[in-house]
Amino acid sequence: SMKKIGINSDAIMSNDTTNYPEDSFENMKIFAKDHFFDDLKYLFDEKQEIAKKYNAVCTPDFFGYNKNLELQYRGRMKQLKDLKPVNSKESDLKLAMQMIAQTQKGPKEQIPSMGCNIKWFK
C-alpha cells in the first residue's frame, strides 16, 4: 500500500463525458484501478475547473506534492512505447513520490507525461 510509505493519491478525471461517453466516470474508475496506485480516491471534475487551475494538458497528467503542498513532481508515470511499458523497472512516478515522501523534494530530472489531450467542452 502506498499509504504505508506516506503517499496519498487522488485521481481527477476532467474529460467531457457528454461528447466522449467512452471516457465516462465509471469507465475511467476501472482504468485507474487497473493502472495506478492502490488506495486511489477517484474524483470527477465535472465543470473542468480543476484541470484549468492545474494547467493540466493531457490524460494522464501527474502532479506530486510534498506535505507543504509544494509541487515537486510533474512528469510521466513511466517510459512507454505504443502505450506499453518499455521496461519492468519501478515507474518514474512511484520513485518520485517515494522520494518526496522521504525528503519532501522531487527528482531533479523529470520527463513530461504524454497522453491524449484533455477532451474540453466545446
Side-chain angles (χ1 to χ4, degrees):
S1 165
M2 297 302 282
K3 282 190 177 181
K4 286 182 186 167
I5 59 172
I7 300 171
N8 293 311
S9 55
D10 294 337
I12 304 171
M13 202 281 287
S14 301
N15 282 344
D16 170 0
T17 59
T18 303
N19 289 309
Y20 301 90
E22 67 277 11
D23 287 354
S24 73
F25 187 49
E26 290 305 315
N27 285 344
M28 293 298 105
K29 279 199 295 194
I30 294 165
F31 180 84
K33 192 173 186 180
D34 290 346
H35 291 87
F36 299 109
F37 295 156
D38 51 1
D39 304 326
L40 185 70
K41 183 168 42 171
Y42 201 76
L43 309 165
F44 185 29
D45 179 18
E46 204 169 348
K47 296 179 182 171
Q48 299 184 324
E49 294 167 344
I50 305 301
K52 289 175 183 167
K53 282 184 180 168
Y54 278 76
N55 292 318
V57 294
C58 64
T59 58
D61 204 350
F62 298 101
F63 300 81
Y65 292 87
N66 64 15
K67 66 182 176 185
N68 298 320
L69 299 180
E70 299 163 326
L71 182 63
Q72 296 297 316
Y73 185 73
R74 181 147 186 212
R76 69 183 181 187
M77 181 171 38
K78 65 179 356 184
Q79 185 180 0
L80 302 176
K81 183 174 170 96
D82 300 323
L83 299 177
K84 303 256 186 300
V86 170
N87 58 51
S88 59
K89 292 190 287 190
E90 286 284 9
S91 74
D92 296 11
L93 177 62
K94 184 174 180 183
L95 292 172
M97 293 310 299
Q98 287 173 321
M99 177 187 273
I100 294 166
Q102 293 166 357
T103 69
Q104 300 308 303
K105 297 281 183 198
K108 291 199 184 328
E109 191 175 320
Q110 300 181 12
I111 300 168
S113 187
M114 292 180 66
C116 300
N117 291 334
I118 291 175
K119 294 170 178 93
W120 299 106
F121 297 131
K122 295 184 177 17

